[in-house]
Amino acid sequence: MALRNIITLGDKTLRKTSRPVTEFNDRLHTLIDDMKETLVDANGLGLAAPQVGVLRRVVIVVNNDGEMLELVNPVITAQSQEKVGAYEGCLSVPDKRGWVERSRKVVVTAQDRFGEKFSLNLEDMAARAACHEVDHLNGTIFVDLADQLFTEEELDEMLSSTEEDESAVNTEGK
Ligand code: NI
């Protein structure tokens, strides 16, 4: 296993559409293992393959129990009408947050590292992270969905003055 370099906003790779995984081989397993190691090292909640420069449909999402889910060729197949807003972040957009509304519950279908299909119900932070990561596979970054970006410092000031600290979450950061 090895740490991979996380590319940041401005790198054109982040704007490209990732290709489906068709071969569930050692190369894929190494990518997944490296992504997990990289995600833990970065203290994040999700990571998509294009963020490490690989245009394949692979994401890692940390669920609400802190477990890392390996999702190959993930598709959001259903989402709740109920939406929740939060200040989101991204490992590819260091030190920036933006308000993004997402469905509170989603159903994701995906394949595991051996190609076996499965389906998962995700809620709250895990649902948000899954949507955020699947967006990466289509070249979409949370900054596209937020009206305005704030630094951590600006956000801290804003939230301490409005006392809405509970609305501050960070999808991929600490
Ligand atoms: Ni991200």
Side-chain angles (χ1 to χ4, degrees):
M1 298 218 291
L3 288 177
R4 304 254 181 148
N5 184 43
I6 298 175
I7 60 176
T8 53
L9 197 62
D11 190 315
K12 286 179 183 166
T13 302
L14 285 177
R15 292 307 192 174
K16 293 183 177 162
T17 301
S18 294
R19 296 182 301 275
V21 170
T22 53
E23 291 184 51
F24 297 83
N25 53 17
D26 285 349
R27 199 179 157 92
L28 173 69
H29 297 177
T30 300
L31 170 66
I32 290 172
D33 291 340
D34 287 356
M35 284 174 64
K36 288 166 85 170
E37 192 179 352
T38 304
L39 181 57
V40 169
D41 180 70
N43 201 15
L45 294 175
L47 188 68
Q51 291 182 276
V52 295
V54 178
L55 288 169
R56 287 290 177 178
R57 302 189 81 84
V58 178
V59 307
I60 308 297
V61 168
V62 176
N63 72 10
N64 298 336
D65 295 322
E67 298 159 339
M68 286 191 283
L69 307 175
E70 305 173 3
L71 307 176
V72 179
N73 298 325
V75 178
I76 308 288
T77 51
Q79 45 195 320
S80 65
Q81 294 279 322
E82 183 192 355
K83 305 221 174 195
V84 189
Y87 286 103
E88 238 177 77
C90 177
L91 293 174
S92 293
V93 190
D95 303 322
K96 289 285 187 339
R97 302 281 176 268
W99 185 259
V100 180
E101 292 200 343
R102 307 230 188 229
S103 291
R104 195 177 77 74
K105 297 182 187 181
V106 299
V107 180
V108 184
T109 49
Q111 285 164 281
D112 68 14
R113 61 169 66 201
F114 304 104
E116 199 69 37
K117 283 191 180 165
F118 62 95
S119 176
L120 285 175
N121 293 288
L122 299 176
E123 298 185 6
D124 302 316
M125 277 302 295
R128 175 173 295 277
C131 293
H132 177 116
E133 301 314 329
V134 171
D135 274 355
H136 272 300
L137 304 181
N138 299 318
T140 299
I141 302 171
F142 85 96
V143 299
D144 306 336
L145 309 173
D147 288 336
Q148 202 181 342
L149 296 181
F150 302 95
T151 63
E152 299 263 18
E153 220 172 34
E154 289 168 338
L155 207 55
D156 281 349
E157 274 177 31
M158 263 171 50
L159 295 176
S160 61
S161 60
T162 57
E163 294 183 341
E164 284 176 355
D165 340 339
E166 275 152 44
S167 60
V169 298
N170 177 2
T171 303
E172 290 187 349
K174 55 190 157 43

Coordinates of all heavy atoms in Angstrom, one line a residue, residues 30-106:
T30 N -5.2 -2.6 -5.5 CA -4.1 -1.7 -5.1 C -4.6 -0.3 -5.0 O -4.4 0.4 -4.1 CB -2.9 -1.8 -6.0 OG1 -2.5 -3.2 -6.0 CG2 -1.8 -0.9 -5.6
L31 N -5.4 0.1 -6.1 CA -5.9 1.5 -6.1 C -6.8 1.7 -4.9 O -6.7 2.7 -4.1 CB -6.7 1.7 -7.4 CG -7.6 3.0 -7.4 CD1 -6.7 4.2 -7.4 CD2 -8.5 3.0 -8.6
I32 N -7.7 0.7 -4.6 CA -8.7 0.8 -3.5 C -7.9 0.9 -2.1 O -8.2 1.8 -1.3 CB -9.7 -0.3 -3.5 CG1 -10.7 -0.2 -4.7 CG2 -10.4 -0.4 -2.2 CD1 -11.6 -1.4 -4.9
D33 N -6.9 0.0 -2.0 CA -6.1 0.0 -0.7 C -5.4 1.3 -0.5 O -5.3 1.9 0.6 CB -5.2 -1.2 -0.7 CG -5.9 -2.5 -0.6 OD1 -7.1 -2.5 -0.1 OD2 -5.3 -3.6 -1.0
D34 N -4.8 1.8 -1.6 CA -4.1 3.1 -1.6 C -5.0 4.2 -1.2 O -4.6 5.1 -0.5 CB -3.4 3.4 -2.9 CG -2.2 2.5 -3.1 OD1 -1.8 1.7 -2.2 OD2 -1.6 2.6 -4.2
M35 N -6.2 4.2 -1.8 CA -7.2 5.3 -1.6 C -7.6 5.3 -0.1 O -7.7 6.4 0.5 CB -8.4 5.1 -2.5 CG -8.2 5.6 -3.9 SD -9.6 5.2 -5.0 CE -10.9 6.3 -4.2
K36 N -7.8 4.1 0.5 CA -8.2 4.0 1.9 C -7.0 4.5 2.8 O -7.3 5.3 3.7 CB -8.5 2.6 2.2 CG -9.9 2.2 1.6 CD -10.1 0.7 1.6 CE -10.7 0.2 2.9 NZ -11.1 -1.2 2.8
E37 N -5.8 4.2 2.4 CA -4.7 4.6 3.2 C -4.6 6.2 3.1 O -4.3 6.8 4.1 CB -3.4 3.9 2.8 CG -2.2 4.2 3.7 CD -1.0 3.4 3.2 OE1 -1.0 2.7 2.3 OE2 0.1 3.7 3.8
T38 N -4.8 6.7 1.9 CA -4.7 8.1 1.7 C -5.8 8.9 2.4 O -5.5 9.9 3.0 CB -4.8 8.4 0.2 OG1 -3.7 7.6 -0.5 CG2 -4.6 9.9 -0.2
L39 N -6.9 8.3 2.4 CA -8.1 8.9 3.1 C -7.9 9.0 4.6 O -8.1 10.0 5.3 CB -9.4 8.1 2.8 CG -10.7 8.6 3.4 CD1 -10.9 10.1 3.0 CD2 -11.8 7.7 3.0
V40 N -7.4 7.9 5.2 CA -7.1 7.8 6.6 C -6.0 8.9 7.0 O -6.1 9.6 7.9 CB -6.6 6.4 7.1 CG1 -6.1 6.5 8.5 CG2 -7.8 5.5 7.0
D41 N -5.0 8.9 6.1 CA -3.8 9.8 6.3 C -4.3 11.3 6.3 O -3.9 12.1 7.1 CB -2.8 9.6 5.3 CG -1.6 10.5 5.5 OD1 -0.9 10.3 6.4 OD2 -1.4 11.5 4.6
A42 N -5.3 11.6 5.4 CA -5.8 12.9 5.3 C -6.9 13.2 6.3 O -7.4 14.3 6.3 CB -6.3 13.1 3.8
N43 N -7.3 12.2 7.0 CA -8.3 12.4 8.1 C -9.7 12.8 7.4 O -10.3 13.7 7.9 CB -7.9 13.4 9.1 CG -8.6 13.3 10.4 OD1 -9.3 12.2 10.7 ND2 -8.5 14.3 11.3
G44 N -10.0 12.2 6.3 CA -11.2 12.6 5.6 C -12.4 11.6 5.7 O -12.3 10.6 6.4
L45 N -13.5 12.0 5.1 CA -14.7 11.2 5.2 C -15.1 10.6 3.8 O -16.1 9.8 3.7 CB -15.9 12.0 5.7 CG -15.7 12.5 7.2 CD1 -16.9 13.4 7.5 CD2 -15.7 11.3 8.1
G46 N -14.3 10.9 2.8 CA -14.6 10.3 1.5 C -13.5 10.7 0.5 O -12.8 11.7 0.7
L47 N -13.3 9.8 -0.5 CA -12.3 10.1 -1.5 C -12.7 9.4 -2.8 O -13.2 8.3 -2.8 CB -10.9 9.6 -1.0 CG -9.7 9.9 -1.9 CD1 -9.4 11.4 -1.9 CD2 -8.5 9.1 -1.5
A48 N -12.6 10.1 -3.9 CA -12.9 9.6 -5.2 C -11.6 9.4 -6.0 O -10.7 10.2 -5.9 CB -13.9 10.5 -5.9
A49 N -11.6 8.3 -6.9 CA -10.3 8.0 -7.6 C -9.8 9.2 -8.4 O -8.6 9.4 -8.4 CB -10.6 6.8 -8.5
P50 N -10.7 10.0 -9.0 CA -10.1 11.2 -9.8 C -9.3 12.1 -8.9 O -8.4 12.8 -9.4 CB -11.3 11.9 -10.4 CG -12.5 11.2 -9.8 CD -12.1 9.9 -9.3
Q51 N -9.6 12.1 -7.6 CA -8.8 13.0 -6.7 C -7.4 12.5 -6.5 O -6.5 13.3 -6.1 CB -9.5 13.1 -5.3 CG -10.8 13.8 -5.3 CD -11.4 13.9 -3.9 OE1 -12.1 12.9 -3.5 NE2 -11.2 14.9 -3.2
V52 N -7.1 11.3 -6.8 CA -5.7 10.8 -6.8 C -5.3 10.6 -8.3 O -4.3 9.9 -8.5 CB -5.5 9.5 -6.0 CG1 -5.8 9.8 -4.5 CG2 -6.4 8.3 -6.5
G53 N -6.0 11.2 -9.2 CA -5.5 11.3 -10.6 C -5.9 10.1 -11.4 O -5.4 9.9 -12.6
V54 N -6.8 9.2 -10.9 CA -7.2 8.0 -11.7 C -8.7 8.2 -12.1 O -9.6 8.3 -11.3 CB -7.1 6.8 -10.8 CG1 -7.5 5.5 -11.5 CG2 -5.6 6.6 -10.3
L55 N -8.9 8.2 -13.4 CA -10.3 8.5 -13.9 C -11.1 7.2 -14.1 O -11.5 6.8 -15.1 CB -10.2 9.3 -15.3 CG -9.8 10.7 -15.1 CD1 -9.4 11.4 -16.4 CD2 -10.8 11.5 -14.3
R56 N -11.3 6.6 -12.9 CA -12.1 5.3 -12.8 C -13.2 5.5 -11.8 O -13.0 6.3 -10.8 CB -11.2 4.2 -12.4 CG -10.3 3.7 -13.6 CD -11.1 3.0 -14.7 NE -10.3 2.7 -15.8 CZ -10.7 2.0 -16.9 NH1 -12.0 1.7 -17.0 NH2 -9.9 1.7 -17.9
R57 N -14.3 4.9 -12.0 CA -15.5 5.1 -11.1 C -15.3 4.3 -9.8 O -15.9 3.2 -9.6 CB -16.8 4.8 -11.8 CG -16.9 5.7 -13.1 CD -18.3 5.6 -13.7 NE -19.3 6.4 -13.0 CZ -19.4 7.7 -13.3 NH1 -18.7 8.4 -14.2 NH2 -20.4 8.4 -12.6
V58 N -14.5 4.8 -8.9 CA -14.2 4.1 -7.6 C -14.2 5.2 -6.5 O -13.6 6.3 -6.7 CB -12.8 3.5 -7.6 CG1 -12.5 2.9 -6.2 CG2 -12.6 2.4 -8.7
V59 N -15.0 5.0 -5.5 CA -15.0 5.9 -4.3 C -14.9 5.2 -3.0 O -15.3 4.0 -2.9 CB -16.2 6.9 -4.3 CG1 -16.4 7.6 -5.6 CG2 -17.5 6.1 -3.9
I60 N -14.4 5.9 -2.0 CA -14.4 5.4 -0.6 C -15.3 6.4 0.1 O -15.1 7.6 0.0 CB -13.0 5.3 0.0 CG1 -12.0 4.6 -0.9 CG2 -13.0 4.7 1.4 CD1 -12.3 3.1 -1.1
V61 N -16.2 5.8 0.9 CA -17.1 6.7 1.7 C -17.0 6.1 3.2 O -17.1 4.9 3.4 CB -18.5 6.6 1.2 CG1 -19.5 7.2 2.2 CG2 -18.6 7.3 -0.2
V62 N -16.8 7.0 4.1 CA -16.9 6.6 5.5 C -18.3 6.7 6.0 O -19.0 7.7 5.8 CB -16.0 7.6 6.4 CG1 -16.1 7.2 7.8 CG2 -14.5 7.5 5.9
N63 N -18.8 5.6 6.5 CA -20.2 5.5 6.9 C -20.4 6.1 8.3 O -19.4 6.5 8.9 CB -20.8 4.1 6.8 CG -20.3 3.2 7.8 OD1 -19.6 3.5 8.8 ND2 -20.7 1.9 7.6
N64 N -21.6 6.2 8.8 CA -21.8 6.8 10.1 C -21.3 6.1 11.3 O -21.3 6.5 12.4 CB -23.3 7.1 10.3 CG -23.9 8.0 9.2 OD1 -23.1 8.8 8.6 ND2 -25.1 8.0 8.9
D65 N -20.8 4.8 11.0 CA -20.1 4.1 12.1 C -18.6 4.2 12.0 O -17.8 3.5 12.7 CB -20.5 2.6 12.0 CG -22.0 2.4 12.3 OD1 -22.5 3.1 13.2 OD2 -22.6 1.5 11.7
G66 N -18.1 5.0 11.0 CA -16.7 5.2 10.9 C -16.0 4.1 10.0 O -14.8 4.1 9.9
E67 N -16.8 3.3 9.4 CA -16.2 2.2 8.5 C -16.1 2.8 7.1 O -16.9 3.6 6.6 CB -17.2 1.0 8.4 CG -17.4 0.4 9.8 CD -18.6 -0.5 9.8 OE1 -19.6 -0.3 9.0 OE2 -18.7 -1.4 10.7
M68 N -15.0 2.3 6.4 CA -14.8 2.8 5.0 C -15.5 1.8 4.0 O -15.2 0.6 4.0 CB -13.3 2.8 4.7 CG -12.6 4.0 5.4 SD -10.9 4.2 4.8 CE -10.1 2.9 5.7
L69 N -16.4 2.4 3.3 CA -17.1 1.6 2.2 C -16.4 1.7 0.9 O -16.0 2.8 0.5 CB -18.5 2.1 2.1 CG -19.4 2.3 3.3 CD1 -20.7 2.9 3.0 CD2 -19.6 0.9 4.0
E70 N -16.2 0.6 0.3 CA -15.5 0.6 -1.1 C -16.7 0.5 -2.1 O -17.4 -0.5 -2.1 CB -14.6 -0.7 -1.2 CG -13.6 -0.8 -0.1 CD -12.8 -2.1 -0.2 OE1 -13.0 -2.9 -1.2 OE2 -12.0 -2.4 0.7
L71 N -16.8 1.5 -2.9 CA -17.9 1.5 -3.9 C -17.3 1.6 -5.3 O -16.7 2.7 -5.6 CB -18.8 2.7 -3.6 CG -19.4 2.9 -2.2 CD1 -20.2 4.1 -2.1 CD2 -20.3 1.6 -1.9
V72 N -17.5 0.6 -6.1 CA -17.0 0.5 -7.4 C -18.2 0.7 -8.3 O -19.2 0.1 -8.1 CB -16.2 -0.8 -7.7 CG1 -15.7 -0.8 -9.2 CG2 -15.1 -1.0 -6.7
N73 N -18.1 1.6 -9.3 CA -19.2 1.9 -10.2 C -20.5 2.3 -9.5 O -21.6 1.8 -9.8 CB -19.5 0.7 -11.2 CG -18.3 0.4 -12.1 OD1 -17.5 1.3 -12.5 ND2 -18.1 -0.9 -12.4
P74 N -20.3 3.2 -8.5 CA -21.5 3.5 -7.7 C -22.5 4.4 -8.4 O -22.2 5.2 -9.3 CB -20.9 4.4 -6.5 CG -19.7 5.0 -7.1 CD -19.2 4.0 -8.1
V75 N -23.8 4.1 -8.1 CA -24.9 4.9 -8.7 C -25.9 5.2 -7.6 O -26.2 4.3 -6.8 CB -25.6 4.1 -9.8 CG1 -26.8 4.9 -10.4 CG2 -24.7 3.7 -11.0
I76 N -26.3 6.5 -7.5 CA -27.3 6.9 -6.6 C -28.7 6.5 -7.2 O -29.1 7.2 -8.2 CB -27.3 8.4 -6.3 CG1 -25.9 8.9 -5.8 CG2 -28.4 8.7 -5.2 CD1 -25.4 8.4 -4.5
T77 N -29.3 5.5 -6.8 CA -30.5 5.0 -7.4 C -31.8 5.6 -6.9 O -32.9 5.5 -7.5 CB -30.6 3.4 -7.4 OG1 -30.4 3.0 -6.1 CG2 -29.5 2.8 -8.3
A78 N -31.7 6.1 -5.7 CA -32.9 6.8 -5.1 C -32.4 7.8 -4.1 O -31.4 7.6 -3.4 CB -33.8 5.7 -4.4
Q79 N -33.2 8.9 -3.9 CA -32.9 9.8 -2.9 C -34.1 10.4 -2.3 O -35.1 10.6 -3.0 CB -31.9 10.9 -3.5 CG -32.3 11.5 -4.8 CD -31.2 12.3 -5.4 OE1 -30.4 13.0 -4.7 NE2 -30.9 12.1 -6.7
S80 N -34.0 10.8 -1.0 CA -35.2 11.3 -0.3 C -35.5 12.7 -0.8 O -34.7 13.5 -1.2 CB -35.0 11.3 1.2 OG -34.0 12.2 1.5
Q81 N -36.8 13.0 -0.8 CA -37.2 14.4 -1.1 C -36.7 15.4 0.0 O -36.3 16.5 -0.3 CB -38.8 14.5 -1.0 CG -39.5 13.7 -2.1 CD -39.5 14.5 -3.4 OE1 -39.7 15.7 -3.4 NE2 -39.3 13.8 -4.5
E82 N -36.6 14.8 1.2 CA -36.1 15.6 2.3 C -34.6 16.0 2.1 O -33.8 15.1 1.9 CB -36.3 14.8 3.6 CG -35.9 15.6 4.9 CD -35.7 14.7 6.1 OE1 -36.1 13.5 6.0 OE2 -35.3 15.2 7.1
K83 N -34.3 17.3 2.2 CA -32.9 17.7 2.0 C -32.4 18.4 3.2 O -33.2 18.9 4.0 CB -32.9 18.7 0.8 CG -33.5 18.1 -0.5 CD -32.7 18.5 -1.7 CE -33.3 17.7 -2.9 NZ -32.5 17.7 -4.0
V84 N -31.1 18.3 3.4 CA -30.5 18.9 4.5 C -29.3 19.8 4.0 O -28.5 19.3 3.1 CB -29.9 17.9 5.5 CG1 -29.4 18.5 6.8 CG2 -31.0 16.8 5.8
G85 N -29.1 20.9 4.5 CA -28.0 21.8 4.1 C -26.9 21.7 5.2 O -27.1 21.4 6.3
A86 N -25.6 21.8 4.7 CA -24.5 21.8 5.6 C -23.3 22.5 4.9 O -23.3 22.5 3.7 CB -24.1 20.4 6.0
Y87 N -22.4 22.9 5.7 CA -21.1 23.5 5.1 C -20.2 22.3 4.8 O -19.7 21.6 5.7 CB -20.5 24.4 6.1 CG -21.2 25.8 6.2 CD1 -22.0 26.1 7.2 CD2 -21.1 26.7 5.1 CE1 -22.7 27.3 7.3 CE2 -21.8 27.9 5.2 CZ -22.6 28.2 6.2 OH -23.2 29.4 6.3
E88 N -20.0 22.1 3.5 CA -19.3 21.0 3.0 C -17.8 21.4 2.7 O -17.6 22.5 2.4 CB -19.9 20.5 1.7 CG -20.3 19.0 1.8 CD -21.0 18.6 0.5 OE1 -20.4 18.3 -0.5 OE2 -22.3 18.4 0.6
G89 N -17.0 20.4 2.8 CA -15.6 20.6 2.4 C -15.1 19.5 1.5 O -15.9 18.5 1.3
C90 N -13.9 19.6 1.0 CA -13.4 18.6 0.1 C -11.8 18.6 0.2 O -11.2 19.7 0.3 CB -13.8 19.0 -1.4 SG -13.1 17.9 -2.6
L91 N -11.2 17.4 0.2 CA -9.8 17.3 0.3 C -9.1 18.0 -0.9 O -7.9 18.3 -0.8 CB -9.4 15.8 0.4 CG -9.8 15.1 1.7 CD1 -9.4 13.6 1.7 CD2 -9.2 15.8 2.9
S92 N -9.8 18.1 -2.0 CA -9.2 18.8 -3.2 C -9.4 20.3 -3.2 O -9.0 21.0 -4.1 CB -9.8 18.2 -4.5 OG -9.4 16.8 -4.6
V93 N -10.1 20.8 -2.2 CA -10.3 22.2 -2.0 C -10.0 22.6 -0.6 O -10.8 22.9 0.2 CB -11.8 22.6 -2.3 CG1 -12.0 24.1 -2.5 CG2 -12.3 21.9 -3.6
P94 N -8.7 22.6 -0.3 CA -8.2 22.8 1.1 C -8.7 24.1 1.7 O -8.7 25.1 1.1 CB -6.7 22.8 1.0 CG -6.4 22.2 -0.3 CD -7.6 22.5 -1.2
D95 N -9.2 23.9 3.0 CA -9.5 25.1 3.8 C -10.7 25.9 3.3 O -10.8 27.1 3.6 CB -8.3 26.0 4.1 CG -7.2 25.2 4.7 OD1 -7.5 24.3 5.5 OD2 -6.0 25.4 4.3
K96 N -11.6 25.3 2.5 CA -12.7 26.1 2.0 C -14.0 25.3 2.4 O -14.0 24.0 2.3 CB -12.7 26.3 0.5 CG -11.6 27.3 0.1 CD -12.1 28.7 0.4 CE -11.2 29.8 -0.1 NZ -9.9 29.6 -0.4
R97 N -15.1 26.0 2.7 CA -16.3 25.4 3.0 C -17.4 26.1 2.2 O -17.3 27.3 2.0 CB -16.7 25.5 4.5 CG -15.7 24.9 5.4 CD -15.8 23.4 5.5 NE -14.7 22.9 6.4 CZ -13.6 22.5 5.9 NH1 -13.3 22.5 4.6 NH2 -12.7 22.0 6.7
G98 N -18.5 25.4 1.8 CA -19.6 26.0 1.2 C -20.9 25.3 1.5 O -20.9 24.1 1.7
W99 N -22.0 26.0 1.6 CA -23.3 25.5 2.0 C -23.9 24.7 0.8 O -24.1 25.2 -0.3 CB -24.2 26.6 2.4 CG -25.5 26.2 2.9 CD1 -26.7 26.2 2.2 CD2 -25.8 25.8 4.2 NE1 -27.7 25.7 3.1 CE2 -27.2 25.5 4.3 CE3 -25.0 25.6 5.4 CZ2 -27.8 25.0 5.5 CZ3 -25.7 25.1 6.5 CH2 -27.0 24.8 6.6
V100 N -24.1 23.4 1.1 CA -24.7 22.6 0.0 C -25.9 21.8 0.6 O -25.8 21.2 1.6 CB -23.6 21.6 -0.6 CG1 -24.3 20.7 -1.6 CG2 -22.4 22.3 -1.1
E101 N -27.0 21.8 -0.2 CA -28.1 21.0 0.3 C -28.1 19.7 -0.5 O -27.9 19.6 -1.7 CB -29.4 21.8 -0.1 CG -29.6 23.0 0.8 CD -31.0 23.5 0.8 OE1 -31.8 23.1 0.0 OE2 -31.3 24.3 1.8
R102 N -28.4 18.6 0.3 CA -28.4 17.3 -0.3 C -29.5 16.5 0.3 O -30.0 16.8 1.4 CB -27.1 16.5 0.0 CG -25.8 17.3 -0.4 CD -24.9 16.4 -1.2 NE -23.6 17.0 -1.5 CZ -23.1 17.1 -2.7 NH1 -23.7 16.6 -3.7 NH2 -21.9 17.6 -2.8
S103 N -29.9 15.4 -0.4 CA -30.9 14.5 0.2 C -30.4 13.9 1.5 O -29.3 13.5 1.6 CB -31.3 13.4 -0.8 OG -32.0 14.0 -1.9
R104 N -31.3 13.8 2.5 CA -30.9 13.2 3.8 C -30.7 11.7 3.7 O -29.8 11.2 4.4 CB -31.9 13.5 4.9 CG -31.4 13.3 6.3 CD -32.3 13.7 7.4 NE -33.4 12.7 7.6 CZ -33.2 11.5 8.1 NH1 -32.0 11.1 8.6 NH2 -34.2 10.7 8.3
K105 N -31.4 11.1 2.8 CA -31.3 9.6 2.6 C -31.0 9.3 1.1 O -31.7 9.9 0.3 CB -32.5 8.9 3.1 CG -32.8 9.0 4.5 CD -34.1 8.2 4.8 CE -34.6 8.4 6.2 NZ -35.8 7.6 6.5
V106 N -30.2 8.3 0.9 CA -30.0 7.9 -0.5 C -29.9 6.3 -0.5 O -29.5 5.7 0.5 CB -28.8 8.5 -1.2 CG1 -28.9 10.0 -1.3 CG2 -27.5 8.1 -0.5

